[in-house]
Amino acid sequence: MIAAPELPSEFHYPQDSDTRFSSDTDFSEAPDVSINPTKGKGGKKGKKAAGEKGKGGKGVGGAGRMNGHYQENGMENLMLFEVVKMGKSAMQSVVDDWIEAYKTDRDMALLDLINFFIQCSGCKGVVSGEMFRNMQNSEIIRRMTEEFDEDSGDYPLTMAGPLWKKFKGSFCEFIAVLVRQCQYSIIYDEYLMDTVISLLTGLSDSQVRAFRHTSTLAAMKLMTALVNVALNLSINMDNTQRQYETERNKMVAKRANDRLELLLQKRKELQENQDEIENMMNAIFKGVFVHRYRDAIAEIRAITIEEIGMWMKLYSDAFLNDSYLKYVGWTMHDKQGEVRLKCLTALQGLYYNRELNTRLELFTSRFKDRIVSMTLDKEYDVAVQAIKLLTLVLHSTDEVLSPEDCESVYHLVYSAHRPVAIAAGEFLFKKLFSTREPEEEGAPKRRGRQSPNANLIKTTVFFFLESELHEHAAYLVDSLWESGADLLKDWECMTSLLLDDPVPGEEALTDRQETALIEIMLCTVRQAAECHPPVGRGTGKRVMTAKEKKTQLDDRTRMTELFAVTLPPLLAKYSIDTEKVTNLLQLPQFFDLDIYTTGRLEKHLEALLRQIREIVEKHTDTEVLEACSKTYHALCNEEFTIFNRVDIARSQLLDEMVDKFNRLLEDFLQEGEEPDDDDAYQVLSTLKRITAFHNAHDLSQWDLFSSNFKLLNTGIENGDMPEQIVVHALQCTHYVVLWYLAKVSEGSHRKEELMSLRKQMRMFCLMCQRYLTNVNTTVKEQAFTILCDVLLVFSHQMVSGGREQLEPLVYSPDDSLQTELLSFILHHVFIDQDDDNGSTDGQQDDEAAKIEALHKRRNLLAAYCKLIIYNVVEMNTGADIFKQYMRLFHEMLSELGTGFDRSSSAFCGIKELARRFSLTFGLDQVKTRDAIAMLHKDGIEFAFKEPSPQGEGNPPLHLAFLDILSEFSSKLMRQDKRTVHMYLERFMTFQMALQRDDCWLPLISYRNSLQAGGDDDTMSVVSGYSSRGSSVRSKKTKAATPTATVAAAKRKLPEGTEESSSSSADMSWQHQSMQTPVMMPSPHLTSTMMRGPGDMREEHPHPHTLPQTPQLHQTPIDYNTQVTWMLAQRQQEEVRQQQERAMNYAKLRTNLQQAIRRGTGLMEEDEEPIVEDVMMSSEGRMEDLNEGMDFDTMDIDLPPSKNRRERSELKPDYFDPGSIMDESVSNSLLLYSTINTL
């Protein structure tokens, strides 16, 4: 166990409220004590006393320097901050120049470095030489705090712009290069590192975010650089030890004693250097890391976790143990996704190295469930990295993850977020497809059904079927595409599994498995040909690279050559299976049709056209017929030479279908004879085929309008026309009108054509209007949808864009038609779910049927709303739509009543609606500032408007509205949050603030939403006593933190009272913190501090606490009197502390150095919680971390040389809070006994 390094006497750790340390920080116990033993090694500079600064060389502000700048040949060099900010110069030369300056006058160079850190924090102040000599750290930091710009919350690490984006990298690089260049001498001079670590530790505990953020980043990067130095030292020690062992094992005659002595001396120096590095790292870890990994600012917490991951990766022998892994495990429960993301990326670097797996076993067993749960994280980036981490865990060992763990990742391949799905696909591929059958060397490559991919393709089919998401094969393929593209593009194997007979002993695919395989095969072909993800996963069009374009062309060529030959036999084999044929018929849409000619595959094209014709004649299913129509449309491309051949086949097929339809229709409509079911089926099947082809092909030459209109007119007159015949006749007539309009709109046209189209359109609209009163619901819905589409197409919008010649075609509905359309909406859309009998065919209890009926009603309403939007119908008809929504809303409110459940689906729906509504305000908070503020003001007034009917002491009637209002808190500006919070407090009573019952949760959550982020990002804490009245931000108005005083009291207590004093530490702290007058109102502080509820209560004094200043129980006094009183108390306390330090400094320093040499650490009081620090939780605890967690911190103890002894085994389970407490308490008792002995 080792302690922190020695610090210069001029830079003391702070004792006041500006920068507070918890009980686990050694600096709080011995602020004035140098805590690194003087090695006395030759060649190292001894540390100057306080009065010797500037005496041995150029003094501060002396020759060669003016106003903090170096002078060279009359030209002023830029300061370090400016050089690093520009980032143009090589960092190596910048550091070398600084080192030369340090060798010349280390006080001057060190002062420049201190100002560098101050300026990097965005502070305008400059530390002068006088301040450097005579002021303590806390006083310097307080002075610099006053120099901040209150009107701006930005500082270099958070500023926007290209210059400041590069600043962070340059800043980190400067620190790394500085340590690397100083690693052989300067960092061991017991002056540079002590001062820098002291400064950064003090700044990192400041309540000013800019100081804390910048210094934490600097300290963590400094720690990383020291880890590299320690690693190099360890390697050198191992090499020296090996050389020493080799030399010592030689024969006496050949042994060189001088060399042995040199090696021993070198090893001793390396060991001493390593001890000093350990001290430095221990100081940074205990003084910065253990506080800042729990900081209120997410960026700061993320920095600490990122760097500890680097330490464990770089120097695993020293840092990769449970003592440090526990911090990463705990922080995986952080509220901010940025911090959780850093935890996962840090762990990925560890799990990637298989040699470290044995050291991660305990961590994996304890935090595996948490990692698995993070795959469903609300932040997609976190979920992606969690899945990648599990993939690395799976790669290292198959035994860690249970089948349940794997299944929770499997279903993510169907996620709508593509990065999550890709990561899950990689996990699935490694789990299920990582094992392949080994191929014998020299044996011919197996193809088709015998290829190694055959079993893997079967496994894919089995997984797809077991997932029971059969409509999402495209998403499964897209998820596996990046990790298993070669497997998914093995179409030869897939077609072989479908066409070839199984070999003896092989189990054939079932019908269900063949259907799934064909669907997967189609999705792989589409993915290879289109090179973009399926609907819902795309992020916009992406420009393909030259390599991707070449791969796409090669894949299309290969798939065309294969399926041009195998598709006809596949269609012949599965010609009667609707689902299989529908998928197979889509394959030609992705062919490179030139291959039919260049590859001399015309005979296979003829076979394909024959199979399509046979399928059209066999099937009447709409999906199959539409697939055939689309295939003909894809093949009938005039750009390719096969167009004539395909066009002839298509024309022959359509001629036969139209002739058959006219013949059947004439017999079907023949007067005096009742058509039988067989005639109706023949007419319907032929009409289905024609309608499906008319959707993609222009059939105007066959004049289908007359026959279809005659059929529809007969249905109106007789009223006994079959439902499906009317539906398809309406659809086919609709296509006729649209194709006629497309023909007229394209080129020159005659007036007779316009009049003919106008006549047909008006006749068709009248026919649809007549069918709105049909008794069949399906027919009415079809007529309504088509009528809305026709009215929209032929509205006044069609003449826009230079198409005035089409004005004769414009058609506006009359009042009677508008009334019928509105009546249809009111009677068929705004109805109860259970009353919709016609749409669900009596299957109201079937959820799928209900959902389908709901979608159908939404489509009907959308069709009508388009007419309102484009002014096709009167705008005032929209009022009737809104009336229906208001009616439904009031019915919902009446069902909820006054005592509704906040967890009910109805309330959650309202809250979700509020969340979506809040997103519409956008990111410009300035533009929406007034609206958001007024929204909160009115919402607060509404929530407290009506008191509880149950009397006083119960929540107001509408208090739950605050829960909904909290969804808009994130849209408030920072200063407005405080204003709204103050407005809320006007309506609150003192008893309300103390309530913690469930019925008061809306008020609690709303207050927390206003406080979160309201004060944690502010920058300046103006010390002193400003004349700004209520806006004064003086830290001097706070009582001094007594942590160090309590710790000192423990050391002075006799052994008999030690136990009781430890138990009463919290009570005595609270008593000491209440030294201000009772009724004195606290000024508004700009602080990141979030006190716990216990901090606000006055406790009774404990008999073992130190004597305190009596509390003043008096009437309220004015603010100036308060400030005067506090300043007097502060001055008295400072005088007393200075006297004590002057008397005890030398003796205490010597004793502590002796204690360090005996191995006792100064940072071992880790069992006490940090009661006043910059914490994440407003109640002083981290609710998202493990419950009951104790913050035990271990001393950094670098491992011994491998050649001297074996590595020690893993330490006890540090993830167990019980073991943490036991060891930390024992360490504290050891420290107390050592101090008392001193």
Side-chain angles (χ1 to χ4, degrees):
M1 296 280 229
I2 57 175
E6 180 183 9
L7 304 174
S9 58
E10 299 78 17
F11 269 73
H12 304 288
Y13 282 92
Q15 299 295 309
D16 50 30
S17 60
D18 282 348
T19 52
R20 284 179 288 272
F21 286 89
S22 67
S23 58
D24 61 353
T25 308
D26 59 338
F27 304 119
S28 62
E29 298 183 19
D32 303 304
V33 180
S34 177
I35 52 176
N36 191 28
T38 303
K39 302 289 181 180
K41 294 189 289 280
K44 291 189 178 181
K45 295 182 180 180
K47 187 175 176 180
K48 294 183 180 180
E52 296 179 355
K53 270 196 177 182
K55 293 181 180 180
K58 296 180 182 180
V60 177
R65 188 177 181 86
M66 182 179 297
N67 296 328
H69 298 264
Y70 292 108
Q71 302 291 324
E72 183 177 339
N73 298 328
M75 297 298 293
E76 184 180 22
N77 288 340
L78 292 174
M79 299 180 67
L80 277 177
F81 174 73
E82 298 295 335
V83 175
V84 173
K85 184 179 72 173
M86 290 187 301
K88 297 179 180 179
S89 303
M91 204 60 64
Q92 183 82 27
S93 60
V94 175
V95 172
D96 290 342
D97 292 341
W98 183 88
I99 292 176
E100 291 299 324
Y102 183 83
K103 292 178 180 179
T104 304
D105 190 336
R106 63 180 187 178
D107 289 335
M108 301 303 101
L110 190 55
L111 182 59
D112 207 17
L113 186 61
I114 291 172
N115 280 309
F116 168 73
F117 289 119
I118 296 296
Q119 290 176 323
C120 288
S121 301
C123 180
K124 297 181 179 179
V126 176
V127 180
S128 64
E130 185 69 21
M131 296 168 59
F132 180 59
R133 286 194 304 269
N134 301 324
M135 297 178 65
Q136 299 180 8
N137 266 3
S138 59
E139 297 171 341
I140 292 177
I141 294 173
R142 189 184 309 114
R143 182 73 62 83
M144 293 299 102
T145 299
E146 298 174 4
E147 302 294 334
F148 267 101
D149 181 8
E150 293 184 45
D151 299 330
S152 174
D154 293 332
Y155 50 96
L157 291 181
T158 60
M159 287 182 180
L163 178 64
W164 297 111
K165 287 181 179 179
K166 298 178 181 179
F167 174 78
K168 182 178 180 181
S170 301
F171 178 71
C172 298
E173 182 185 359
F174 173 79
I175 297 175
V177 175
L178 177 63
V179 175
R180 185 172 69 242
Q181 293 300 103
C182 299
Q183 64 177 317
Y184 298 109
S185 61
I186 297 179
I187 62 174
Y188 305 110
D189 67 357
E190 300 179 357
Y191 184 67
L192 169 63
M193 298 304 296
D194 292 353
T195 306
V196 171
I197 293 174
S198 171
L199 175 70
L200 295 179
T201 305
L203 290 174
S204 69
D205 203 42
S206 171
Q207 292 185 4
V208 181
R209 170 177 175 170
F211 274 153
R212 210 166 63 254
H213 188 183
T214 307
S215 60
T216 300
L217 175 62
M220 294 299 98
K221 292 299 180 181
L222 181 63
M223 177 77 166
T224 303
L226 291 176
V227 168
N228 283 309
V229 174
L231 182 59
N232 292 333
L233 287 173
S234 177
I235 296 174
N236 291 334
M237 288 182 64
D238 289 339
N239 294 336
T240 303
Q241 181 67 22
R242 184 171 58 254
Q243 295 173 8
Y244 177 80
E245 296 292 343
T246 303
E247 189 69 25
R248 192 180 63 176
N249 292 334
K250 292 181 179 180
M251 297 176 60
V252 178
K254 296 182 179 181
R255 185 184 305 167
N257 293 328
D258 294 342
R259 178 173 173 78
L260 286 176
E261 290 183 6
L262 289 175
L263 291 174
L264 284 175
Q265 181 65 24
K266 182 179 179 182
R267 187 179 66 178
K268 181 180 178 181
E269 292 181 1
L270 290 174
Q271 183 62 49
E272 291 175 349
N273 291 344
Q274 189 180 50
D275 292 341
E276 290 199 28
I277 295 297
E278 290 178 10
N279 288 342
M280 299 174 194
M281 293 192 298
N282 194 44
I284 297 175
F285 186 81
K286 298 293 186 67
V288 180
F289 178 87
V290 295
H291 300 288
R292 299 285 68 80
Y293 92 98
R294 296 177 289 161
D295 196 277
I297 307 301
E299 294 92 333
I300 298 177
R301 301 197 298 273
I303 289 172
T304 59
I305 296 302
E306 180 181 16
E307 293 307 313
I308 196 175
M310 290 295 299
W311 307 338
M312 291 186 287
K313 182 179 178 181
L314 291 173
Y315 201 176
S316 58
D317 290 340
F319 290 95
L320 187 55
N321 55 61
D322 302 329
S323 302
Y324 300 101
L325 283 168
K326 65 185 178 184
Y327 295 106
V328 181
W330 289 337
T331 316
M332 284 195 295
H333 297 266
D334 196 282
K335 294 180 181 179
Q336 298 297 324
E338 176 187 359
V339 184
R340 299 194 299 273
L341 184 65
K342 293 297 182 182
C343 294
L344 295 173
T345 53
L347 292 173
Q348 287 176 14
L350 302 178
Y351 280 97
Y352 184 80
N353 189 351
R354 291 191 177 185
E355 298 178 357
L356 305 178
N357 290 339
T358 55
R359 305 185 188 182
L360 295 167
E361 290 178 354
L362 180 58
F363 176 86
T364 305
S365 63
R366 285 304 180 97
F367 292 99
K368 180 197 65 174
D369 294 339
R370 174 57 185 161
I371 298 174
V372 173
S373 67
M374 292 174 76
T375 60
L376 300 176
D377 197 278
K378 64 179 181 180
E379 301 287 345
Y380 286 124
D381 293 340
V382 177
V384 170
Q385 298 304 325
I387 298 172
K388 291 183 177 180
L389 178 57
L390 289 177
T391 305
L392 292 175
V393 175
L394 181 67
H395 191 64
S396 60
T397 174
D398 295 335
E399 302 175 356
V400 175
L401 298 179
S402 64
E404 292 77 13
D405 297 333
C406 296
E407 289 175 3
S408 64
V409 182
Y410 290 162
H411 75 277
L412 294 177
V413 296
Y414 298 104
S415 171
H417 191 261
R418 193 165 191 263
V420 172
I422 293 296
E426 183 180 358
F427 179 89
L428 176 65
F429 189 82
K430 283 189 177 296
K431 180 65 177 177
L432 300 183
F433 310 127
S434 58
T435 57
R436 291 173 174 262
E437 296 181 3
E439 296 187 13
E440 298 180 2
E441 296 184 2
K445 186 177 180 180
R446 293 178 295 173
R447 306 175 67 86
R449 199 181 189 98
Q450 303 300 320
S451 69
N453 288 335
N455 290 331
L456 301 181
I457 292 175
K458 291 181 181 179
T459 303
T460 307
V461 173
F462 299 155
F463 173 81
F464 176 59
L465 293 175
E466 290 177 1
S467 63
E468 298 181 356
L469 294 170
H470 300 172
E471 298 180 0
H472 297 80
Y475 295 90
L476 174 62
V477 169
D478 181 57
S479 301
L480 295 172
W481 194 254
E482 292 189 5
S483 55
D486 294 338
L487 169 66
L488 296 176
K489 289 191 289 188
D490 193 352
W491 298 302
E492 183 180 357
C493 179
M494 295 180 185
T495 55
S496 178
L497 288 172
L498 294 171
L499 293 174
D500 299 345
D501 295 330
V503 297
E506 181 186 4
E507 186 176 356
L509 295 175
T510 63
D511 179 73
R512 186 163 172 260
Q513 292 169 353
E514 288 179 340
T515 302
L517 177 57
I518 292 175
E519 185 176 359
I520 292 174
M521 182 173 65
L522 170 63
C523 294
T524 59
V525 169
R526 181 188 293 114
Q527 186 87 2
E530 297 180 349
C531 292
H532 65 75
V535 177
R537 275 193 184 170
T539 56
K541 292 185 178 180
R542 184 178 64 88
V543 179
M544 297 175 58
T545 63
K547 182 179 179 180
E548 290 174 339
K549 291 180 180 179
K550 184 179 184 302
T551 302
Q552 181 187 27
L553 293 176
D554 294 342
D555 290 340
R556 289 192 66 185
T557 301
R558 191 163 61 88
M559 75 175 64
T560 304
E561 293 174 348
L562 175 65
F563 286 107
V565 177
T566 58
L567 183 57
L570 286 171
L571 291 174
K573 181 177 181 179
Y574 302 109
S575 60
I576 60 175
D577 192 310
T578 300
E579 188 174 0
K580 294 184 179 69
V581 166
T582 302
N583 289 327
L584 290 173
L585 285 172
Q586 298 181 46
L587 292 176
Q589 301 175 25
F590 310 103
F591 286 179
D592 182 3
L593 299 181
D594 277 334
I595 302 298
Y596 275 111
T597 304
T598 59
R600 298 186 178 182
L601 302 175
E602 289 85 356
K603 63 177 182 179
H604 297 289
L605 176 62
E606 295 291 343
L608 175 62
L609 295 175
R610 285 196 302 270
Q611 292 298 327
I612 296 176
R613 181 187 180 93
E614 292 178 5
I615 291 172
V616 171
E617 294 173 351
K618 289 180 181 179
H619 288 270
T620 59
D621 188 84
T622 303
E623 292 183 357
V624 176
L625 296 175
E626 288 183 352
C628 293
S629 175
K630 291 179 181 178
T631 302
Y632 271 115
H633 183 267
L635 296 175
C636 286
N637 193 329
E638 297 180 0
E639 297 179 0
F640 301 99
T641 56
I642 64 173
F643 167 75
N644 293 331
R645 188 173 305 190
V646 178
D647 185 51
I648 293 173
R650 180 186 61 176
S651 300
Q652 291 176 351
L653 177 62
L654 291 175
D655 280 337
E656 294 179 4
M657 287 194 301
V658 173
D659 291 342
K660 182 180 179 180
F661 174 69
N662 291 330
R663 187 173 62 255
L664 291 173
L665 185 62
E666 184 178 355
D667 297 339
F668 184 73
L669 299 179
Q670 188 174 2
E671 298 181 3
E673 294 186 8
E674 179 131 356
D676 56 10
D677 293 340
D678 185 60
D679 294 338
Y681 175 78
Q682 292 293 333
V683 172
L684 176 60
S685 59
T686 307
L687 184 58
K688 277 186 176 182
R689 296 186 181 101
I690 294 175
T691 302
F693 272 82
H694 208 348
N695 187 14
H697 304 270
D698 184 8
L699 308 184
S700 301
Q701 56 179 321
W702 283 279
D703 189 20
L704 293 171
F705 182 84
S706 300
S707 55
N708 279 283
F709 189 82
K710 184 178 180 181
L711 180 62
L712 292 172
N713 192 44
T714 304
I716 289 291
E717 294 175 354
N718 298 336
D720 58 351
M721 187 68 66
E723 163 190 320
Q724 290 299 317
I725 291 180
V726 176
V727 169
H728 285 85
L730 287 171
Q731 190 66 54
C732 186
T733 310
H734 185 210
Y735 291 149
V736 171
V737 173
L738 293 181
W739 276 108
Y740 202 169
L741 175 62
K743 181 180 179 181
V744 170
S745 302
E746 284 178 357
S748 59
H749 52 271
R750 294 175 298 174
K751 185 176 181 181
E752 293 78 8
E753 292 179 344
L754 287 177
M755 293 299 103
S756 175
L757 175 59
R758 184 172 183 270
K759 180 180 179 181
Q760 290 184 3
M761 179 267 298
R762 291 178 179 267
M763 292 173 59
F764 181 58
C765 288
L766 181 61
M767 183 65 66
C768 291
Q769 182 178 358
R770 296 172 65 184
Y771 268 103
L772 288 177
T773 58
N774 194 278
V775 295
N776 191 284
T777 304
T778 305
V779 173
K780 288 190 291 186
E781 291 175 350
Q782 179 77 351
F784 177 83
T785 303
I786 292 176
L787 183 57
C788 289
D789 290 344
V790 172
L791 289 176
L792 187 62
V793 171
F794 288 90
S795 67
H796 57 86
Q797 304 284 342
M798 71 181 307
V799 298
S800 60
R803 293 177 294 181
E804 290 78 8
Q805 68 275 11
L806 300 179
E807 187 173 358
L809 300 177
V810 176
Y811 177 66
S812 299
D814 54 19
D815 293 340
S816 62
L817 179 56
Q818 293 188 36
T819 303
E820 288 191 47
L821 292 174
L822 179 60
S823 176
F824 180 88
I825 286 294
L826 297 179
H827 291 88
H828 291 82
V829 175
F830 294 101
I831 58 175
D832 293 335
Q833 185 88 9
D834 296 336
D835 295 339
D836 194 10
N837 297 329
S839 298
T840 57
D841 297 329
Q843 299 178 359
Q844 291 85 359
D845 296 334
D846 187 359
E847 290 297 327
K850 289 183 178 181
I851 294 174
E852 183 65 26
L854 178 62
H855 284 305
K856 187 179 294 184
R857 294 205 302 273
R858 285 178 176 175
N859 291 334
L860 294 174
L861 181 60
Y864 183 76
C865 289
K866 290 178 183 178
L867 301 181
I868 300 176
I869 294 173
Y870 290 98
N871 294 323
V872 178
V873 298
E874 295 295 333
M875 185 64 68
N876 56 14
T877 57
D880 296 280
I881 305 298
F882 285 111
K883 287 180 183 179
Q884 298 301 318
Y885 275 104
M886 293 300 297
R887 177 179 63 83
L888 296 175
F889 179 73
H890 287 301
E891 291 178 358
M892 182 183 66
L893 289 181
S894 62
E895 293 177 0
L896 291 176
T898 57
F900 58 88
D901 183 12
R902 293 174 62 249
S903 62
S904 62
S905 59
F907 184 81
C908 293
I910 298 176
K911 191 171 182 180
E912 174 64 16
L913 184 62
R915 186 190 68 81
R916 295 185 180 184
F917 180 48
S918 68
L919 297 177
T920 61
F921 286 95
L923 300 176
D924 191 350
Q925 292 182 321
V926 177
K927 183 184 297 183
T928 62
R929 180 180 184 181
D930 295 339
I932 291 294
M934 187 58 64
L935 177 66
H936 281 271
K937 176 179 177 295
D938 294 342
I940 293 172
E941 294 174 352
F942 172 76
F944 289 92
K945 184 177 181 180
E946 298 185 20
S948 174
Q950 301 171 350
E952 188 176 355
N954 294 290
L957 187 62
H958 302 304
L959 186 68
F961 185 75
L962 294 179
D963 209 352
I964 298 174
L965 195 60
S966 62
E967 296 293 336
F968 300 89
S969 297
S970 61
K971 297 300 179 181
L972 282 169
M973 298 184 70
R974 187 181 306 150
Q975 55 269 37
D976 291 344
K977 284 188 177 182
R978 292 192 291 270
T979 305
V980 173
H981 187 267
M982 294 173 61
Y983 188 74
L984 174 66
E985 289 181 340
R986 294 184 185 179
F987 296 84
M988 293 174 53
T989 62
F990 180 74
Q991 289 76 14
M992 288 183 183
L994 300 178
Q995 295 292 339
R996 290 296 182 267
D997 297 334
D998 291 345
C999 58
W1000 294 93
L1001 286 178
L1003 177 59
I1004 298 173
S1005 63
Y1006 183 57
R1007 290 185 67 194
N1008 292 338
S1009 68
L1010 294 178
Q1011 293 171 351
D1015 292 331
D1016 59 350
D1017 289 350
T1018 51
M1019 219 186 58
S1020 63
V1021 184
V1022 180
S1023 62
Y1025 31 93
S1026 175
S1027 60
R1028 299 188 181 184
S1030 60
S1031 64
V1032 172
R1033 302 178 180 182
S1034 172
K1035 286 199 275 187
K1036 292 185 178 181
T1037 59
K1038 286 183 129 181
T1041 302
T1043 308
T1045 308
V1046 175
K1050 291 180 181 180
R1051 292 195 296 269
K1052 295 177 182 179
L1053 288 175
E1055 295 182 1
T1057 61
E1058 184 173 306
E1059 182 178 354
S1060 61
S1061 65
S1062 299
S1063 63
S1064 63
D1066 292 339
M1067 295 182 62
S1068 63
W1069 180 88
Q1070 292 175 354
H1071 178 70
Q1072 295 177 43
S1073 64
M1074 300 294 293
Q1075 297 180 9
T1076 56
V1078 176
M1079 301 299 295
M1080 180 167 57
S1082 300
H1084 295 288
L1085 297 178
T1086 305
S1087 171
T1088 55
M1089 190 68 60
M1090 290 183 258
R1091 294 179 180 273
D1095 300 340
M1096 306 303 295
R1097 298 191 300 269
E1098 180 183 359
E1099 300 288 348
H1100 296 290
H1102 194 273
H1104 293 290
T1105 56
L1106 293 175
Q1108 302 296 323
T1109 303
Q1111 295 184 357
L1112 304 178
H1113 300 274
Q1114 57 184 15
T1115 57
I1117 56 180
D1118 61 3
Y1119 183 73
N1120 292 331
T1121 306
Q1122 298 171 13
V1123 172
T1124 303
W1125 181 89
M1126 294 188 65
L1127 288 176
Q1129 296 294 322
R1130 183 63 167 272
Q1131 292 174 359
Q1132 294 177 6
E1133 181 67 17
E1134 290 179 354
V1135 170
R1136 184 185 63 81
Q1137 291 179 357
Q1138 290 177 2
Q1139 292 175 351
E1140 291 181 355
R1141 285 196 294 265
M1143 295 172 59
N1144 301 326
Y1145 173 74
K1147 181 178 178 180
L1148 188 55
R1149 173 176 177 175
T1150 304
N1151 291 338
L1152 286 174
Q1153 288 178 349
Q1154 294 174 358
I1156 293 171
R1157 293 190 183 98
R1158 290 196 299 267
T1160 304
L1162 292 178
M1163 302 183 182
E1164 297 179 357
E1165 291 184 84
D1166 296 329
E1167 73 279 9
E1168 296 184 14
I1170 300 177
V1171 294
E1172 192 166 27
D1173 198 359
V1174 186
M1175 303 290 288
M1176 289 191 298
S1177 173
S1178 60
E1179 297 187 5
R1181 62 179 184 271
M1182 302 175 67
E1183 297 176 353
D1184 280 354
L1185 300 187
N1186 290 352
E1187 200 169 3
M1189 174 175 52
D1190 296 290
F1191 299 100
D1192 177 34
T1193 54
M1194 305 298 296
D1195 283 310
I1196 299 176
D1197 190 6
L1198 300 183
S1201 174
K1202 295 182 179 179
N1203 294 344
R1204 284 186 283 147
R1205 64 181 185 185
E1206 296 295 332
R1207 299 294 188 195
S1208 58
E1209 298 180 356
L1210 283 178
K1211 297 181 181 180
D1213 185 1
Y1214 293 108
F1215 304 120
D1216 183 7
S1219 64
I1220 296 173
M1221 178 61 73
D1222 293 342
E1223 182 171 346
S1224 61
V1225 170
S1226 63
N1227 291 340
S1228 299
L1229 294 177
L1230 176 60
L1231 174 65
Y1232 297 154
S1233 61
T1234 303
I1235 296 299
N1236 287 326
T1237 302
L1238 295 177

